[in-house]
Each structure stands twice: as structure tokens, then as C-alpha cells.
Amino acid sequence: MQHWIYYDSKTGNVDRFVHKLEARTGWSIRRISENLSISQPGHLITFTTGRGEVPVVTDKFMQQNHDLIKTVSASGNKNWGLNYGRAADTVAAIYQLPVLFKFELSGSTDDVQQFINKINEYHEYHSNKECEHS
């Protein structure tokens, strides 16, 4: 199944993560911008900035496209304690989305595989839910 991943990256950590993801899956990966309007449903991966804030580009992208975003994930640094990956928590709370995954910096090989598994589980669960309602 083809999945869409939309992402925001500042230092290159999320960029490196999604390129490892793309190499392993062939999924469609698209870097977001403030004015990007999307037509395909997908999943957002962002980074956390400052003291746990949502990046400006991510915030503006979500204001325009939140109806097509299914989950949110974030990169962070565990040295930030409670603010680790907090941008995902904030976006999730604002737009009533599930936090799919948090990973440190650019993520390990294991993190990439866990993310793939979680995306596949998400879609399998929601496909089964649709079948139940048919």
C-alpha cells in the first residue's frame, strides 16, 4: 500500500529519518512548506523546537491541511525531558490526532522499522473498522 508522509525538518534529523524510511518502503515523502496544500491523506512527522514548541511551518501547514493528516510523529532529544517530542503532543491535542511515534534525533534503524510497523498497523486497524461499518 502506498502511504504519504509529510514532514518538516530544521537541522536535518527528520530529513535523514524520512529518507531512510523512503529507501526502505518507497512511500511518498513530501517536505512541507507554509503554503503547501495537499490532496492525499497522510501522516505528519515534525520536529520540536525551543522549549517544546511546534515549528512555525508545521503550524501553518496543519492549519491548512489538518483534515487530511491521520497521525503525527516527532523527532526530539531525550535531554529535553518532558519536552521530548512535545510538538507531536501539541499538534495531536489541537487537531484531535493520535501521536503515532517519537524518535530521538534522526532515529535508529530500529526506529524506522517501528515507524513502518505503526503506520501499517494504523492502516490495517482503520481498514478493518471500515469493513465493520459496511
Side-chain angles (χ1 to χ4, degrees):
M1 179 175 204
Q2 184 64 8
H3 300 300
W4 283 81
I5 306 296
Y6 302 101
Y7 77 98
D8 195 2
S9 186
K10 181 179 181 178
T11 63
N13 283 327
V14 177
D15 197 52
R16 284 188 290 280
F17 181 86
V18 299
H19 285 93
K20 289 184 266 189
L21 180 65
E22 183 179 34
R24 196 176 284 185
T25 64
W27 293 347
S28 297
I29 308 290
R30 180 104 186 253
R31 188 173 191 147
I32 64 171
S33 63
E34 291 181 24
N35 302 322
L36 178 65
S37 181
I38 63 173
S39 60
Q40 294 294 323
H43 305 271
L44 175 69
I45 304 175
T46 191
F47 62 96
T48 300
T49 190
R51 293 194 174 104
E53 288 92 24
V54 175
V56 171
V57 171
T58 297
D59 185 46
K60 290 185 177 180
F61 170 81
M62 285 302 293
Q63 287 174 29
Q64 293 177 200
N65 298 288
H66 62 89
D67 54 328
L68 289 172
I69 299 301
K70 303 301 178 193
T71 68
V72 60
S73 299
S75 169
N77 186 320
K78 290 185 179 174
N79 291 338
W80 296 343
L82 294 175
N83 289 333
Y84 166 67
R86 190 169 174 194
D89 301 324
T90 303
V91 169
I94 292 169
Y95 297 104
Q96 307 296 295
L97 296 171
V99 173
L100 188 74
F101 194 64
K102 292 181 183 180
F103 57 94
E104 191 163 24
L105 305 174
S106 62
S108 65
T109 302
D110 188 50
D111 289 333
V112 172
Q113 188 58 54
Q114 285 184 56
F115 182 83
I116 292 167
N117 295 346
K118 287 180 179 293
I119 290 286
N120 288 334
E121 289 166 10
Y122 173 89
H123 284 280
E124 184 177 315
Y125 174 80
H126 287 279
S127 291
N128 290 340
K129 284 292 231 190
E130 288 174 14
C131 289
E132 288 174 12
H133 295 333
S134 296

